[in-house]
Amino acid sequence: MNDYFEVETDEQLELIRQSAKDFAETHIRPHVMEWDETQHFPVDLFNKMGEYGFMGVLVPETYGGSGLGYQEYITIIEEISKVCGSIGLSVAAHNSLCTNHILQFGNEDQKAYFLPKLASGEWIGAWGLTETGTGSDAGGMFTTAVQDGDYFVLNGSKNFITHAISSNVAVVIARTGEKGNKRGMTAFVIEKGIEGFSSGKKENKLGMRASETACLFFDNCRIHKDNVLGEVGDGFIQSLKILDGGRISIAALSLGIAKGAFESALKYAHERQQFGQKIYNFQGISFKLADIATKIEAAELLTRKAGFLKNKGEKMTKIAAMAKYYASEVAVEAANESVQIHGGYGFTKDFPAEKYYRDAKLCTIGEGTSEIQKLVIAREISL
């Protein structure tokens, strides 16, 4: 039997699961609705998560990280997201995008300088690829980086960037060649505070409201060549590899939201009485829950398989896209059915169903829409 099926019996993994669960119950659940209503991004919480090793899950211990693998990472994201999708999303973006990009493609000096600060939670990271006019069409980006001696001069903007305002450092992809050229983009690691580098206003979102989202702006921002990640021209290729791992993150996030929505619906179905009995006894309710339970199980197996392949260093583009696509759609369905099972109460903020409903939808959009995942899957199965 493959390792990704056996992972549930792993003692270390269960300890990590319990640690993440306890943290979420103690430090996140009491504030969930307050943070959601006010769109508050709790920076102090992320500093604290660094103490627990949740901000550098995949970072080797030599750089101050936890030195764990993708099964542990999936578990941490899942447990946090069961309580709050917003916090799960931010933990995922910090780990799998900014921090992982530096880990995968930074040189030794860059890794030694940035990773300990990110893994400890002292710093929060952002990652900038998407632009206002280029979402899925990242190859058509407008943000440019023109070399001027030992510096690159950046001009342009990035849109829908997680932690754009509160981050201390951002990995940004800019065009250094012709538009549409896959070898014409370069990745830069940029500290906040550099002249010409700023952020915009916080987006007022439907869901994931405690996860900060805003624009990044570059106005003749001079970045030294030492801040190039990897080789000039490799930024887009690097991004595709980072997004492969990012799909596992969103699958884990989706899995957590789906489980949270399912568990709240199951609990309510056993508590709510109608016609002299609990509503779970009605086939119309129990069959909904049976369907969702089955789909969550399938989503988890896909996600765990993607993590298994990633840990082994094997090609996982197809499975990661399948996991992200399927798990995110299951999260939306689970949240929808949870609201339905709660009935009128599901439409109020007194029960958690409505927040799962609002948070789940982003999972089908962020880090590649469901439609883009289908394109990736279709391309992979035709090879």
Side-chain angles (χ1 to χ4, degrees):
M1 187 178 290
N2 288 325
D3 289 355
Y4 50 89
F5 291 121
E6 297 174 347
V7 75
E8 293 278 335
T9 64
D10 186 273
E11 186 177 343
Q12 181 189 8
L13 191 74
E14 288 310 306
L15 289 173
I16 289 168
R17 181 185 297 281
Q18 194 61 50
S19 175
K21 183 177 181 178
D22 290 346
F23 183 93
E25 291 294 336
T26 303
H27 300 288
I28 300 174
R29 191 178 293 281
H31 310 286
V32 167
M33 291 312 296
E34 171 199 343
W35 292 341
D36 182 78
E37 294 281 345
T38 61
Q39 289 205 104
H40 174 65
F41 179 62
V43 173
D44 291 347
L45 177 77
F46 292 90
N47 300 150
K48 192 168 194 65
M49 279 197 280
E51 299 172 15
Y52 282 72
F54 300 156
M55 299 294 276
V57 181
L58 303 168
V59 176
E61 293 180 36
T62 52
Y63 300 114
S66 299
L68 299 173
Y70 270 83
Q71 299 299 351
E72 293 87 354
Y73 177 61
I74 289 166
T75 300
I76 290 167
I77 298 297
E78 175 198 323
E79 287 299 328
I80 291 172
S81 303
K82 281 167 70 173
V83 174
C84 182
S86 295
I87 305 304
L89 172 63
S90 279
V91 174
H94 173 92
N95 274 279
S96 72
L97 298 179
C98 178
T99 304
N100 199 40
H101 200 135
I102 297 168
L103 175 63
Q104 294 299 315
F105 300 105
N107 59 39
E108 191 55 41
D109 287 343
Q110 291 166 338
K111 289 190 283 191
Y113 178 72
F114 289 108
L115 291 179
K117 294 179 175 66
L118 290 163
S120 68
E122 177 188 348
W123 280 12
I124 293 173
W127 192 76
L129 178 66
T130 299
E131 297 182 3
T132 304
T134 59
S136 299
D137 180 21
M141 69 174 57
F142 293 93
T143 300
T144 58
V146 178
Q147 190 158 9
D148 179 19
D150 288 341
Y151 288 82
F152 286 84
V153 182
L154 271 67
N155 282 285
S157 64
K158 296 294 177 179
N159 196 22
F160 297 133
I161 306 305
T162 305
H163 312 148
I165 299 169
S166 299
S167 60
N168 305 89
V169 63
V171 172
V172 175
I173 318 302
R175 186 161 55 81
T176 48
E178 294 300 316
K179 189 179 291 188
N181 178 4
K182 291 182 178 179
R183 294 287 181 182
M185 286 161 274
T186 301
F188 300 87
V189 56
I190 310 172
E191 287 185 57
K192 279 291 186 68
I194 293 178
E195 186 176 354
F197 182 27
S198 62
S199 52
K201 69 177 182 65
K202 187 182 294 187
E203 298 287 352
N204 189 8
K205 299 177 297 185
L206 168 72
M208 302 292 196
R209 290 169 59 80
S211 180
E212 179 186 277
T213 307
C215 290
L216 293 174
F217 297 108
F218 304 91
D219 183 10
N220 291 321
C221 179
R222 295 177 64 81
I223 306 300
H224 196 272
K225 64 182 182 180
D226 288 348
N227 289 69
V228 171
L229 287 168
E231 299 297 325
V232 172
D234 283 354
F236 186 69
I237 306 301
Q238 292 173 10
S239 296
L240 293 181
K241 293 177 181 177
I242 292 300
L243 286 171
D244 263 359
R247 290 178 184 127
I248 298 176
S249 295
I250 302 301
L253 171 67
S254 303
L255 191 60
I257 292 173
K259 286 187 177 183
F262 169 78
E263 289 171 8
S264 67
L266 182 63
K267 180 174 182 287
Y268 184 81
H270 280 285
E271 293 173 348
R272 176 69 167 170
Q273 296 278 327
Q274 291 285 274
F275 305 103
Q277 58 184 310
K278 59 187 179 183
I279 63 172
Y280 186 82
N281 291 339
F282 298 111
Q283 194 175 85
I285 301 298
S286 62
F287 276 21
K288 283 181 184 294
L289 290 163
D291 281 341
I292 295 302
T294 302
K295 291 176 180 179
I296 287 174
E297 200 73 23
E300 177 153 22
L301 288 173
L302 266 176
T303 305
R304 294 288 179 187
K305 181 174 182 179
F308 171 77
L309 293 173
K310 184 71 173 172
N311 278 342
K312 299 282 279 187
E314 296 179 13
K315 183 174 173 58
M316 37 68 76
T317 300
K318 180 184 73 174
I319 297 300
M322 286 178 170
K324 195 273 187 190
Y325 164 55
Y326 187 72
S328 65
E329 295 292 343
V330 167
V332 170
E333 185 178 352
N336 182 55
E337 293 290 27
S338 184
V339 170
Q340 193 70 19
I341 289 168
H342 280 80
Y345 291 110
F347 209 66
T348 72
K349 292 182 182 291
D350 295 326
F351 286 80
E354 64 85 29
K355 184 176 183 296
Y356 290 121
Y357 185 80
R358 289 185 289 109
D359 287 349
K361 188 57 191 171
L362 182 69
C363 298
T364 69
I365 298 170
E367 294 192 40
T369 63
S370 291
E371 290 75 19
I372 289 296
Q373 304 312 315
K374 290 180 186 180
L375 283 174
V376 172
I377 295 164
R379 183 183 65 224
E380 291 294 317
I381 62 176
S382 70
L383 297 177

